[in-house]
Amino acid sequence: RWIARRRVSDLHHEFFKAEHTTRYLENYLDSHCHAGRSLRSRIKLGFSVESVAKRGDQWLVIGNKAQYRTPKIIVANGLFSSANIPKFIGDDTFKAPIIHQEEFGQSSVLTSPELHKVTVIGGGKSAADMVYACVKAGKSVKWVIQASGTGPGFLLSPEGKGPYKNAFELGSTRVAGTLSPSFIGPDTWWRQFLFGSNPGLKVVNAVWSGADKETREGAQFDSRPNALPGFANLKPHAPLFWQNGSGGLLNRADFWDTIAPNVQVHLGDITHLQAKHVCLESGTEISTDVLLCGTGWKPTSFEFFSVDDLVRLGLPHKVEDEPPEITKPWDQMVQQADREVLDRFPILAEPPKHHHKASHTTPYRLYNGIAPLNDNTIAFLGYFNVGNFFKGAECQAIWATAYLDGNLQLPSIDSRQLTIARHIAWRKRRYLSNGELVHQLVQTWPCARPCWSAR
């Protein structure tokens, strides 16, 4: 069943607190039973997968507690699976705790009187949430954002427009989806008008630049009263359209009013740490009792697969691990696909100057972001980044179930390869570094619609 509507105090533009989602998922595990067993009883907690390999017509899963054999398998350990904790020179003599966002909620940062001076690093939503929470807890907070990275992320208003209660409702409409240059979805006359004509491009630019301007003006980076020095350092570096950095929705109405007069923001790279001090390239030394890392997550490495299986299944692997006879055809297909992308979406030909984070692995080569080209007994779910993840996950689950049951008639391998190549090329053009590093990236959940289709 659906999550019941919460009391008004737990709602912000119809978004509700995360605890309600957690409770819903807990109840779901107990209330959904199949063959006399609940979903909860089928979960093996504390099970560390050490290897997954195909043995004949069976998959062998070896873990720290048991082994399993199965004819079909779904891998769903997430696009990002381990904390990205930077390694700093001098961290062994820092004499203060270094805490990643993953552990922040269980830490004593907000309650300990000994941890009064807090330094937060990172430019995304998790860093912003920790900064806000620390200020509200009465801490003295400094916020450091790497100058050589993608810069601060966009923190967007959650407000909806017109009949839509919030930004997700609006952004999850098909009309909103058409305003992004995307191969995911039909090539309709409307999309051709938007991206193939000067009047259409004016509409697209007006919508995106308007949202960009509204976000920046709402924050008043250069003119907010009582703002501490450095508040303007929170201005995103690239336009909203390109989404080259991280970001999220503002789920606190007083976020900017809280941050501006209470937090000093530094835009600079950390050179080293020393006894309870964070030292920046500019020479600034920040005295601190704790360092909080809002630095995100490392991409999943699939260490439980052999290198040969990574290559065979189309999963990210080191470029040097791939034989030239595999690399060359893919490179040629992606180059051809890139020309198709630019021919259909000329707007992507000239991105703004931006920080480029190079990828050192091959991209995902999964059809529909789910299926390998040469093995129909395994599926990969959740390796995409989308605004409405619940709907995206549901679409993927339905498609993968039909796929593994043999109820889909798929196109030829050549056709699927071209589809994959087109999406690789499009993602790099559309989302710049994010599209290269976070390979399964789409913008709004209706864009995931091909998951319903066998085409």
Side-chain angles (χ1 to χ4, degrees), residues 353-384:
K353 184 179 179 180
H354 64 281
H355 172 75
H356 178 251
K357 300 173 288 187
S359 175
H360 301 293
T361 67
T362 62
Y364 284 86
R365 295 167 182 157
L366 300 172
Y367 182 64
N368 270 358
I370 297 173
L373 289 169
N374 53 11
D375 195 323
N376 62 0
T377 64
I378 186 170
F380 296 85
L381 299 187
Y383 299 94
F384 66 101

PDB file of all heavy atoms in Angstrom, residues 353-384:
ATOM      1  N   LYS A 353      32.645  26.351 -20.456  1.00  0.00           N
ATOM      2  CA  LYS A 353      33.894  25.953 -19.823  1.00  0.00           C
ATOM      3  C   LYS A 353      33.568  25.322 -18.478  1.00  0.00           C
ATOM      4  O   LYS A 353      32.789  25.846 -17.686  1.00  0.00           O
ATOM      5  CB  LYS A 353      34.783  27.187 -19.609  1.00  0.00           C
ATOM      6  CG  LYS A 353      36.154  26.871 -19.029  1.00  0.00           C
ATOM      7  CD  LYS A 353      36.994  28.139 -18.878  1.00  0.00           C
ATOM      8  CE  LYS A 353      38.352  27.802 -18.267  1.00  0.00           C
ATOM      9  NZ  LYS A 353      39.192  29.030 -18.098  1.00  0.00           N
ATOM     10  N   HIS A 354      34.167  24.167 -18.222  1.00  0.00           N
ATOM     11  CA  HIS A 354      33.802  23.444 -17.005  1.00  0.00           C
ATOM     12  C   HIS A 354      34.946  22.545 -16.567  1.00  0.00           C
ATOM     13  O   HIS A 354      35.853  22.232 -17.340  1.00  0.00           O
ATOM     14  CB  HIS A 354      32.553  22.591 -17.240  1.00  0.00           C
ATOM     15  CG  HIS A 354      32.753  21.497 -18.257  1.00  0.00           C
ATOM     16  ND1 HIS A 354      32.725  21.735 -19.620  1.00  0.00           N
ATOM     17  CD2 HIS A 354      33.009  20.166 -18.127  1.00  0.00           C
ATOM     18  CE1 HIS A 354      32.941  20.619 -20.263  1.00  0.00           C
ATOM     19  NE2 HIS A 354      33.131  19.648 -19.385  1.00  0.00           N
ATOM     20  N   HIS A 355      34.868  22.137 -15.312  1.00  0.00           N
ATOM     21  CA  HIS A 355      35.837  21.182 -14.790  1.00  0.00           C
ATOM     22  C   HIS A 355      35.499  19.794 -15.313  1.00  0.00           C
ATOM     23  O   HIS A 355      34.367  19.351 -15.252  1.00  0.00           O
ATOM     24  CB  HIS A 355      35.807  21.160 -13.258  1.00  0.00           C
ATOM     25  CG  HIS A 355      36.643  20.079 -12.648  1.00  0.00           C
ATOM     26  ND1 HIS A 355      38.020  20.157 -12.603  1.00  0.00           N
ATOM     27  CD2 HIS A 355      36.306  18.891 -12.073  1.00  0.00           C
ATOM     28  CE1 HIS A 355      38.495  19.072 -12.013  1.00  0.00           C
ATOM     29  NE2 HIS A 355      37.471  18.290 -11.687  1.00  0.00           N
ATOM     30  N   HIS A 356      36.506  19.124 -15.849  1.00  0.00           N
ATOM     31  CA  HIS A 356      36.285  17.795 -16.407  1.00  0.00           C
ATOM     32  C   HIS A 356      36.925  16.746 -15.522  1.00  0.00           C
ATOM     33  O   HIS A 356      38.118  16.792 -15.246  1.00  0.00           O
ATOM     34  CB  HIS A 356      36.869  17.690 -17.819  1.00  0.00           C
ATOM     35  CG  HIS A 356      36.702  16.327 -18.426  1.00  0.00           C
ATOM     36  ND1 HIS A 356      37.750  15.457 -18.614  1.00  0.00           N
ATOM     37  CD2 HIS A 356      35.583  15.689 -18.854  1.00  0.00           C
ATOM     38  CE1 HIS A 356      37.302  14.330 -19.142  1.00  0.00           C
ATOM     39  NE2 HIS A 356      35.994  14.446 -19.306  1.00  0.00           N
ATOM     40  N   LYS A 357      36.111  15.814 -15.049  1.00  0.00           N
ATOM     41  CA  LYS A 357      36.609  14.700 -14.248  1.00  0.00           C
ATOM     42  C   LYS A 357      36.745  13.493 -15.169  1.00  0.00           C
ATOM     43  O   LYS A 357      35.759  12.894 -15.585  1.00  0.00           O
ATOM     44  CB  LYS A 357      35.637  14.383 -13.108  1.00  0.00           C
ATOM     45  CG  LYS A 357      35.408  15.540 -12.153  1.00  0.00           C
ATOM     46  CD  LYS A 357      34.306  15.211 -11.152  1.00  0.00           C
ATOM     47  CE  LYS A 357      32.945  15.214 -11.789  1.00  0.00           C
ATOM     48  NZ  LYS A 357      31.845  15.057 -10.807  1.00  0.00           N
ATOM     49  N   ALA A 358      37.971  13.154 -15.502  1.00  0.00           N
ATOM     50  CA  ALA A 358      38.196  12.072 -16.457  1.00  0.00           C
ATOM     51  C   ALA A 358      37.847  10.721 -15.854  1.00  0.00           C
ATOM     52  O   ALA A 358      38.102  10.460 -14.674  1.00  0.00           O
ATOM     53  CB  ALA A 358      39.658  12.082 -16.913  1.00  0.00           C
ATOM     54  N   SER A 359      37.270   9.866 -16.674  1.00  0.00           N
ATOM     55  CA  SER A 359      36.974   8.501 -16.248  1.00  0.00           C
ATOM     56  C   SER A 359      38.129   7.592 -16.652  1.00  0.00           C
ATOM     57  O   SER A 359      38.682   7.718 -17.749  1.00  0.00           O
ATOM     58  CB  SER A 359      35.675   8.017 -16.899  1.00  0.00           C
ATOM     59  OG  SER A 359      35.445   6.659 -16.587  1.00  0.00           O
ATOM     60  N   HIS A 360      38.482   6.680 -15.760  1.00  0.00           N
ATOM     61  CA  HIS A 360      39.581   5.759 -16.040  1.00  0.00           C
ATOM     62  C   HIS A 360      39.073   4.341 -16.280  1.00  0.00           C
ATOM     63  O   HIS A 360      39.854   3.393 -16.274  1.00  0.00           O
ATOM     64  CB  HIS A 360      40.571   5.778 -14.878  1.00  0.00           C
ATOM     65  CG  HIS A 360      41.154   7.140 -14.615  1.00  0.00           C
ATOM     66  ND1 HIS A 360      42.002   7.775 -15.505  1.00  0.00           N
ATOM     67  CD2 HIS A 360      40.963   8.014 -13.589  1.00  0.00           C
ATOM     68  CE1 HIS A 360      42.337   8.956 -15.022  1.00  0.00           C
ATOM     69  NE2 HIS A 360      41.720   9.129 -13.870  1.00  0.00           N
ATOM     70  N   THR A 361      37.776   4.214 -16.486  1.00  0.00           N
ATOM     71  CA  THR A 361      37.198   2.912 -16.788  1.00  0.00           C
ATOM     72  C   THR A 361      36.326   3.020 -18.036  1.00  0.00           C
ATOM     73  O   THR A 361      35.990   4.116 -18.488  1.00  0.00           O
ATOM     74  CB  THR A 361      36.327   2.387 -15.631  1.00  0.00           C
ATOM     75  OG1 THR A 361      35.167   3.235 -15.495  1.00  0.00           O
ATOM     76  CG2 THR A 361      37.105   2.367 -14.321  1.00  0.00           C
ATOM     77  N   THR A 362      35.977   1.883 -18.572  1.00  0.00           N
ATOM     78  CA  THR A 362      35.004   1.861 -19.660  1.00  0.00           C
ATOM     79  C   THR A 362      33.619   2.175 -19.102  1.00  0.00           C
ATOM     80  O   THR A 362      33.377   2.036 -17.901  1.00  0.00           O
ATOM     81  CB  THR A 362      34.981   0.461 -20.308  1.00  0.00           C
ATOM     82  OG1 THR A 362      34.579  -0.500 -19.324  1.00  0.00           O
ATOM     83  CG2 THR A 362      36.346   0.079 -20.850  1.00  0.00           C
ATOM     84  N   PRO A 363      32.692   2.590 -19.951  1.00  0.00           N
ATOM     85  CA  PRO A 363      31.332   2.858 -19.466  1.00  0.00           C
ATOM     86  C   PRO A 363      30.536   1.563 -19.305  1.00  0.00           C
ATOM     87  O   PRO A 363      30.954   0.491 -19.762  1.00  0.00           O
ATOM     88  CB  PRO A 363      30.737   3.712 -20.587  1.00  0.00           C
ATOM     89  CG  PRO A 363      31.456   3.261 -21.816  1.00  0.00           C
ATOM     90  CD  PRO A 363      32.855   2.939 -21.370  1.00  0.00           C
ATOM     91  N   TYR A 364      29.399   1.656 -18.637  1.00  0.00           N
ATOM     92  CA  TYR A 364      28.454   0.542 -18.628  1.00  0.00           C
ATOM     93  C   TYR A 364      27.995   0.299 -20.068  1.00  0.00           C
ATOM     94  O   TYR A 364      27.684   1.243 -20.801  1.00  0.00           O
ATOM     95  CB  TYR A 364      27.228   0.871 -17.785  1.00  0.00           C
ATOM     96  CG  TYR A 364      27.426   0.820 -16.299  1.00  0.00           C
ATOM     97  CD1 TYR A 364      27.912   1.920 -15.596  1.00  0.00           C
ATOM     98  CD2 TYR A 364      27.107  -0.325 -15.581  1.00  0.00           C
ATOM     99  CE1 TYR A 364      28.080   1.879 -14.220  1.00  0.00           C
ATOM    100  CE2 TYR A 364      27.257  -0.377 -14.195  1.00  0.00           C
ATOM    101  CZ  TYR A 364      27.754   0.725 -13.526  1.00  0.00           C
ATOM    102  OH  TYR A 364      27.908   0.681 -12.173  1.00  0.00           O
ATOM    103  N   ARG A 365      27.937  -0.968 -20.454  1.00  0.00           N
ATOM    104  CA  ARG A 365      27.422  -1.334 -21.768  1.00  0.00           C
ATOM    105  C   ARG A 365      26.283  -2.328 -21.581  1.00  0.00           C
ATOM    106  O   ARG A 365      26.387  -3.510 -21.934  1.00  0.00           O
ATOM    107  CB  ARG A 365      28.531  -1.914 -22.642  1.00  0.00           C
ATOM    108  CG  ARG A 365      29.629  -0.898 -22.987  1.00  0.00           C
ATOM    109  CD  ARG A 365      30.834  -1.572 -23.578  1.00  0.00           C
ATOM    110  NE  ARG A 365      31.912  -0.618 -23.875  1.00  0.00           N
ATOM    111  CZ  ARG A 365      33.196  -0.969 -23.978  1.00  0.00           C
ATOM    112  NH1 ARG A 365      33.553  -2.237 -23.791  1.00  0.00           N
ATOM    113  NH2 ARG A 365      34.110  -0.054 -24.253  1.00  0.00           N
ATOM    114  N   LEU A 366      25.224  -1.847 -20.953  1.00  0.00           N
ATOM    115  CA  LEU A 366      24.065  -2.669 -20.642  1.00  0.00           C
ATOM    116  C   LEU A 366      22.862  -2.149 -21.421  1.00  0.00           C
ATOM    117  O   LEU A 366      22.596  -0.944 -21.445  1.00  0.00           O
ATOM    118  CB  LEU A 366      23.755  -2.618 -19.150  1.00  0.00           C
ATOM    119  CG  LEU A 366      24.854  -3.098 -18.197  1.00  0.00           C
ATOM    120  CD1 LEU A 366      24.458  -2.799 -16.751  1.00  0.00           C
ATOM    121  CD2 LEU A 366      25.112  -4.589 -18.381  1.00  0.00           C
ATOM    122  N   TYR A 367      22.134  -3.044 -22.036  1.00  0.00           N
ATOM    123  CA  TYR A 367      20.946  -2.643 -22.780  1.00  0.00           C
ATOM    124  C   TYR A 367      19.862  -2.213 -21.806  1.00  0.00           C
ATOM    125  O   TYR A 367      19.555  -2.919 -20.837  1.00  0.00           O
ATOM    126  CB  TYR A 367      20.455  -3.811 -23.648  1.00  0.00           C
ATOM    127  CG  TYR A 367      19.256  -3.467 -24.489  1.00  0.00           C
ATOM    128  CD1 TYR A 367      19.343  -2.504 -25.493  1.00  0.00           C
ATOM    129  CD2 TYR A 367      18.037  -4.098 -24.290  1.00  0.00           C
ATOM    130  CE1 TYR A 367      18.244  -2.167 -26.267  1.00  0.00           C
ATOM    131  CE2 TYR A 367      16.932  -3.780 -25.060  1.00  0.00           C
ATOM    132  CZ  TYR A 367      17.045  -2.806 -26.044  1.00  0.00           C
ATOM    133  OH  TYR A 367      15.954  -2.474 -26.803  1.00  0.00           O
ATOM    134  N   ASN A 368      19.277  -1.051 -22.074  1.00  0.00           N
ATOM    135  CA  ASN A 368      18.294  -0.449 -21.152  1.00  0.00           C
ATOM    136  C   ASN A 368      18.884  -0.237 -19.765  1.00  0.00           C
ATOM    137  O   ASN A 368      18.152  -0.108 -18.781  1.00  0.00           O
ATOM    138  CB  ASN A 368      17.030  -1.305 -21.048  1.00  0.00           C
ATOM    139  CG  ASN A 368      15.986  -0.903 -22.080  1.00  0.00           C
ATOM    140  OD1 ASN A 368      16.184   0.031 -22.843  1.00  0.00           O
ATOM    141  ND2 ASN A 368      14.878  -1.615 -22.113  1.00  0.00           N
ATOM    142  N   GLY A 369      20.206  -0.209 -19.666  1.00  0.00           N
ATOM    143  CA  GLY A 369      20.850  -0.047 -18.369  1.00  0.00           C
ATOM    144  C   GLY A 369      20.688  -1.250 -17.471  1.00  0.00           C
ATOM    145  O   GLY A 369      20.947  -1.171 -16.273  1.00  0.00           O
ATOM    146  N   ILE A 370      20.267  -2.404 -18.041  1.00  0.00           N
ATOM    147  CA  ILE A 370      19.928  -3.579 -17.244  1.00  0.00           C
ATOM    148  C   ILE A 370      20.605  -4.853 -17.741  1.00  0.00           C
ATOM    149  O   ILE A 370      21.181  -5.613 -16.963  1.00  0.00           O
ATOM    150  CB  ILE A 370      18.395  -3.811 -17.256  1.00  0.00           C
ATOM    151  CG1 ILE A 370      17.660  -2.634 -16.609  1.00  0.00           C
ATOM    152  CG2 ILE A 370      18.026  -5.116 -16.548  1.00  0.00           C
ATOM    153  CD1 ILE A 370      16.145  -2.708 -16.747  1.00  0.00           C
ATOM    154  N   ALA A 371      20.548  -5.094 -19.053  1.00  0.00           N
ATOM    155  CA  ALA A 371      20.863  -6.409 -19.595  1.00  0.00           C
ATOM    156  C   ALA A 371      22.180  -6.443 -20.362  1.00  0.00           C
ATOM    157  O   ALA A 371      22.402  -5.623 -21.263  1.00  0.00           O
ATOM    158  CB  ALA A 371      19.728  -6.857 -20.520  1.00  0.00           C
ATOM    159  N   PRO A 372      23.070  -7.421 -20.039  1.00  0.00           N
ATOM    160  CA  PRO A 372      24.264  -7.637 -20.866  1.00  0.00           C
ATOM    161  C   PRO A 372      23.857  -8.093 -22.261  1.00  0.00           C
ATOM    162  O   PRO A 372      22.736  -8.587 -22.472  1.00  0.00           O
ATOM    163  CB  PRO A 372      25.017  -8.751 -20.120  1.00  0.00           C
ATOM    164  CG  PRO A 372      24.470  -8.734 -18.735  1.00  0.00           C
ATOM    165  CD  PRO A 372      23.031  -8.306 -18.872  1.00  0.00           C
ATOM    166  N   LEU A 373      24.777  -7.976 -23.197  1.00  0.00           N
ATOM    167  CA  LEU A 373      24.462  -8.338 -24.571  1.00  0.00           C
ATOM    168  C   LEU A 373      24.499  -9.841 -24.816  1.00  0.00           C
ATOM    169  O   LEU A 373      23.871 -10.338 -25.751  1.00  0.00           O
ATOM    170  CB  LEU A 373      25.446  -7.639 -25.525  1.00  0.00           C
ATOM    171  CG  LEU A 373      25.267  -6.132 -25.666  1.00  0.00           C
ATOM    172  CD1 LEU A 373      26.443  -5.521 -26.413  1.00  0.00           C
ATOM    173  CD2 LEU A 373      23.960  -5.824 -26.386  1.00  0.00           C
ATOM    174  N   ASN A 374      25.246 -10.548 -23.984  1.00  0.00           N
ATOM    175  CA  ASN A 374      25.499 -11.954 -24.320  1.00  0.00           C
ATOM    176  C   ASN A 374      25.197 -12.924 -23.183  1.00  0.00           C
ATOM    177  O   ASN A 374      25.748 -14.027 -23.157  1.00  0.00           O
ATOM    178  CB  ASN A 374      26.962 -12.126 -24.759  1.00  0.00           C
ATOM    179  CG  ASN A 374      27.932 -11.550 -23.740  1.00  0.00           C
ATOM    180  OD1 ASN A 374      27.534 -11.209 -22.629  1.00  0.00           O
ATOM    181  ND2 ASN A 374      29.192 -11.443 -24.114  1.00  0.00           N
ATOM    182  N   ASP A 375      24.369 -12.532 -22.244  1.00  0.00           N
ATOM    183  CA  ASP A 375      23.995 -13.443 -21.164  1.00  0.00           C
ATOM    184  C   ASP A 375      22.634 -13.028 -20.629  1.00  0.00           C
ATOM    185  O   ASP A 375      22.503 -11.993 -19.974  1.00  0.00           O
ATOM    186  CB  ASP A 375      25.032 -13.423 -20.046  1.00  0.00           C
ATOM    187  CG  ASP A 375      24.884 -14.593 -19.085  1.00  0.00           C
ATOM    188  OD1 ASP A 375      23.728 -14.977 -18.800  1.00  0.00           O
ATOM    189  OD2 ASP A 375      25.898 -15.127 -18.623  1.00  0.00           O
ATOM    190  N   ASN A 376      21.617 -13.856 -20.903  1.00  0.00           N
ATOM    191  CA  ASN A 376      20.250 -13.506 -20.493  1.00  0.00           C
ATOM    192  C   ASN A 376      19.856 -14.132 -19.161  1.00  0.00           C
ATOM    193  O   ASN A 376      18.670 -14.245 -18.848  1.00  0.00           O
ATOM    194  CB  ASN A 376      19.255 -13.891 -21.577  1.00  0.00           C
ATOM    195  CG  ASN A 376      19.248 -15.396 -21.851  1.00  0.00           C
ATOM    196  OD1 ASN A 376      19.993 -16.157 -21.221  1.00  0.00           O
ATOM    197  ND2 ASN A 376      18.426 -15.808 -22.811  1.00  0.00           N
ATOM    198  N   THR A 377      20.863 -14.526 -18.365  1.00  0.00           N
ATOM    199  CA  THR A 377      20.572 -15.097 -17.045  1.00  0.00           C
ATOM    200  C   THR A 377      20.961 -14.155 -15.905  1.00  0.00           C
ATOM    201  O   THR A 377      20.903 -14.537 -14.742  1.00  0.00           O
ATOM    202  CB  THR A 377      21.316 -16.434 -16.864  1.00  0.00           C
ATOM    203  OG1 THR A 377      22.738 -16.197 -16.881  1.00  0.00           O
ATOM    204  CG2 THR A 377      20.956 -17.419 -17.960  1.00  0.00           C
ATOM    205  N   ILE A 378      21.341 -12.944 -16.238  1.00  0.00           N
ATOM    206  CA  ILE A 378      21.753 -11.981 -15.221  1.00  0.00           C
ATOM    207  C   ILE A 378      21.242 -10.597 -15.595  1.00  0.00           C
ATOM    208  O   ILE A 378      21.189 -10.240 -16.781  1.00  0.00           O
ATOM    209  CB  ILE A 378      23.295 -11.971 -15.049  1.00  0.00           C
ATOM    210  CG1 ILE A 378      23.708 -11.060 -13.883  1.00  0.00           C
ATOM    211  CG2 ILE A 378      23.990 -11.583 -16.343  1.00  0.00           C
ATOM    212  CD1 ILE A 378      25.188 -11.190 -13.511  1.00  0.00           C
ATOM    213  N   ALA A 379      20.822  -9.829 -14.596  1.00  0.00           N
ATOM    214  CA  ALA A 379      20.337  -8.464 -14.809  1.00  0.00           C
ATOM    215  C   ALA A 379      20.917  -7.562 -13.733  1.00  0.00           C
ATOM    216  O   ALA A 379      21.214  -8.006 -12.615  1.00  0.00           O
ATOM    217  CB  ALA A 379      18.812  -8.424 -14.780  1.00  0.00           C
ATOM    218  N   PHE A 380      21.067  -6.280 -14.070  1.00  0.00           N
ATOM    219  CA  PHE A 380      21.647  -5.293 -13.158  1.00  0.00           C
ATOM    220  C   PHE A 380      20.618  -4.179 -12.945  1.00  0.00           C
ATOM    221  O   PHE A 380      20.187  -3.531 -13.899  1.00  0.00           O
ATOM    222  CB  PHE A 380      22.940  -4.732 -13.744  1.00  0.00           C
ATOM    223  CG  PHE A 380      24.018  -5.765 -13.894  1.00  0.00           C
ATOM    224  CD1 PHE A 380      24.072  -6.572 -15.025  1.00  0.00           C
ATOM    225  CD2 PHE A 380      24.962  -5.959 -12.897  1.00  0.00           C
ATOM    226  CE1 PHE A 380      25.053  -7.548 -15.161  1.00  0.00           C
ATOM    227  CE2 PHE A 380      25.948  -6.921 -13.016  1.00  0.00           C
ATOM    228  CZ  PHE A 380      25.986  -7.730 -14.147  1.00  0.00           C
ATOM    229  N   LEU A 381      20.237  -3.971 -11.688  1.00  0.00           N
ATOM    230  CA  LEU A 381      19.207  -2.985 -11.369  1.00  0.00           C
ATOM    231  C   LEU A 381      19.766  -1.868 -10.489  1.00  0.00           C
ATOM    232  O   LEU A 381      20.550  -2.112  -9.573  1.00  0.00           O
ATOM    233  CB  LEU A 381      18.039  -3.651 -10.634  1.00  0.00           C
ATOM    234  CG  LEU A 381      17.283  -4.751 -11.387  1.00  0.00           C
ATOM    235  CD1 LEU A 381      16.063  -5.189 -10.593  1.00  0.00           C
ATOM    236  CD2 LEU A 381      16.872  -4.284 -12.769  1.00  0.00           C
ATOM    237  N   GLY A 382      19.341  -0.647 -10.782  1.00  0.00           N
ATOM    238  CA  GLY A 382      19.696   0.489  -9.938  1.00  0.00           C
ATOM    239  C   GLY A 382      20.939   1.229 -10.372  1.00  0.00           C
ATOM    240  O   GLY A 382      21.397   2.121  -9.657  1.00  0.00           O
ATOM    241  N   TYR A 383      21.482   0.912 -11.548  1.00  0.00           N
ATOM    242  CA  TYR A 383      22.708   1.579 -11.979  1.00  0.00           C
ATOM    243  C   TYR A 383      22.362   2.768 -12.881  1.00  0.00           C
ATOM    244  O   TYR A 383      22.724   2.838 -14.046  1.00  0.00           O
ATOM    245  CB  TYR A 383      23.634   0.570 -12.678  1.00  0.00           C
ATOM    246  CG  TYR A 383      24.010  -0.542 -11.736  1.00  0.00           C
ATOM    247  CD1 TYR A 383      23.288  -1.722 -11.702  1.00  0.00           C
ATOM    248  CD2 TYR A 383      25.037  -0.370 -10.813  1.00  0.00           C
ATOM    249  CE1 TYR A 383      23.590  -2.721 -10.796  1.00  0.00           C
ATOM    250  CE2 TYR A 383      25.345  -1.361  -9.905  1.00  0.00           C
ATOM    251  CZ  TYR A 383      24.620  -2.528  -9.895  1.00  0.00           C
ATOM    252  OH  TYR A 383      24.917  -3.513  -8.983  1.00  0.00           O
ATOM    253  N   PHE A 384      21.607   3.681 -12.282  1.00  0.00           N
ATOM    254  CA  PHE A 384      21.219   4.902 -12.974  1.00  0.00           C
ATOM    255  C   PHE A 384      20.968   5.963 -11.921  1.00  0.00           C
ATOM    256  O   PHE A 384      20.809   5.656 -10.737  1.00  0.00           O
ATOM    257  CB  PHE A 384      19.970   4.676 -13.833  1.00  0.00           C
ATOM    258  CG  PHE A 384      18.728   4.365 -13.047  1.00  0.00           C
ATOM    259  CD1 PHE A 384      17.778   5.342 -12.822  1.00  0.00           C
ATOM    260  CD2 PHE A 384      18.503   3.090 -12.540  1.00  0.00           C
ATOM    261  CE1 PHE A 384      16.623   5.059 -12.097  1.00  0.00           C
ATOM    262  CE2 PHE A 384      17.355   2.800 -11.820  1.00  0.00           C
ATOM    263  CZ  PHE A 384      16.421   3.789 -11.593  1.00  0.00           C
TER     264      PHE A 384
END
